[in-house]
Amino acid sequence: MRKKLRGEGGLTLVELLAAVVILILLGLLLNTGLQMAVRTYRAVTAQSEVELLLSTAVDALADDLRYARDVSADGVGFTYTSDSYGAGTSLTVDENGQILANGKRVLPTGAYGLKGAYRVKEMEIGYAEPNFTIELTITTKDEAISAGTSVTVRCLNGKRDGATGGGP
C-alpha cells in the first residue's frame, strides 16, 4: 500500500503555497495597474472638461460682449446693455465659481460638472473702446487641474450716440 501512494503524482504543500503566493503577487500587480489607469483616466477627463468649460464660458461671454450696447467704463469696471440680460449688465463670479450677468447665470449649473466640480478661479474683463479683453481661468475644486486663456473681442455696437443711434 505504501508503494502505491508514493507512486501517485500530486502537489506538495510547499508547491501549493508557492503557487498561491505567485497568484497573489500577480493580483496585486494587476490591481496596481488598474488603479493607475483609472487615476490617469480621471485626470485626463477632468482636464478635458476644464478646457470644455473654459471654451464654453469664453464663447458665451464673447457672444454677449460682441453685441454690447451703451458700454460705460469707469476705473474699476464697466456696465453695458445686453440683449440677454438687460440694461446695466455687469459680469461677476459668485461664491461657487460660476459666472453671473446681472445676477443670472451665464451658463447652466450642469456646465460646472457634478456638484460644482469645476469653477471659475479668475475672471478679468477689460474694456478699451472698441475691444473687450477677457482673461479667464477655470480649475477643479481642489485646483489640481486648471486651464486659462486671454481673448480679445471687438464690440460691434459700443457706445451709442443718441442722435445717430450708431456705433463705431
Side-chain angles (χ1 to χ4, degrees), residues 11-20:
L11 295 175
T12 65
L13 183 59
V14 172
E15 291 171 331
L16 188 59
L17 286 174
V20 168

Side-chain angles (χ1 to χ4, degrees), residues 55-69:
S55 174
T56 303
V58 166
D59 285 347
L61 291 172
D63 286 347
D64 198 47
L65 294 173
R66 185 171 290 119
Y67 300 105
R69 297 183 315 277

Side-chain angles (χ1 to χ4, degrees), residues 23-85:
L23 285 174
I24 288 173
L25 289 175
L26 286 174
L28 288 173
L29 286 173
L30 181 64
N31 184 36
T32 303
L34 283 174
Q35 285 179 352
M36 286 175 52
V38 167
R39 236 180 290 132
T40 302
Y41 169 77
R42 287 184 179 151
V44 168
T45 301
Q47 182 68 42
S48 175
E49 289 179 353
V50 162
E51 290 174 6
L52 178 62
L53 177 57
L54 177 66
S55 174
T56 303
V58 166
D59 285 347
L61 291 172
D63 286 347
D64 198 47
L65 294 173
R66 185 171 290 119
Y67 300 105
R69 297 183 315 277
D70 305 323
V71 179
S72 167
D74 58 17
V76 178
F78 65 92
T79 60
Y80 64 99
T81 300
S82 167
D83 291 336
S84 303
Y85 305 105

